[in-house]
Amino acid sequence: LFRSQEFSSALNCVAFHPEGQLLATGSWDKQITILKPETWTSVSVISGHKAAVRDLSFAPSGKIVASAALDGDVRLWSWQEQVLLATFLAHHGIAQVSRFICNGQYLVTAGEDFKVQVWAGCLGQLHRV
């Protein structure tokens, strides 16, 4: 074991920043915490979800975090400013996955409603093909 840290709430997910110097955690307390893993120093704490955070993904630029929650909401955050950029009901039931793809052009979500959906990157608009 290289390094370990205990948190005040149970964690559901971890995502690494594209440049590797930071990580984000999502937890049952509905918060997202951005940390420096070498010191466990908190860089940013983001609140705003109404349910526990289930999954996280950094955009390739590293400036935006997508978070999926147990209530089906997906939110897009400018994590450095702790600003909510968009929120949308992506799934009925739990939003299980949120991943940026194609260099951040699209966001893929999957949920317990048996759907995988592709959204227009940071806009939160369903992409139609």
Side-chain angles (χ1 to χ4, degrees):
L1 180 64
F2 177 69
R3 193 172 307 272
S4 178
Q5 175 70 27
E6 287 189 25
F7 291 83
S8 60
S9 182
L11 301 180
N12 286 328
C13 52
V14 175
F16 283 93
H17 188 277
E19 295 175 7
Q21 77 278 19
L22 299 171
L23 63 86
T25 63
S27 59
W28 281 97
D29 65 3
K30 307 170 193 168
Q31 291 187 339
I32 300 163
T33 304
I34 313 293
L35 302 156
K36 292 182 179 180
E38 65 277 354
T39 61
W40 296 113
T41 306
S42 176
V43 176
S44 180
V45 177
I46 302 166
S47 300
H49 270 289
K50 296 176 184 171
V53 177
R54 176 70 182 95
D55 193 44
L56 296 168
S57 176
F58 280 99
S61 69
K63 296 179 180 180
I64 296 172
V65 172
S67 57
L70 296 184
D71 62 0
D73 273 358
V74 170
R75 293 178 182 227
L76 303 173
W77 306 90
S78 174
W79 67 267
Q80 291 170 311
E81 292 82 18
Q82 299 175 351
V83 172
L84 178 63
L85 301 173
T87 184
F88 51 98
L89 182 62
H91 297 278
H92 297 286
I94 299 170
Q96 298 276 7
V97 176
S98 62
R99 291 285 180 277
F100 285 100
I101 61 169
C102 299
N103 292 323
Q105 184 177 0
Y106 300 111
L107 179 71
V108 173
T109 64
E112 75 172 352
D113 58 3
F114 306 102
K115 293 181 182 178
V116 173
Q117 301 188 106
V118 179
W119 305 85
C122 296
L123 301 176
Q125 297 174 346
L126 198 56
H127 179 66
R128 306 271 183 216
V129 250

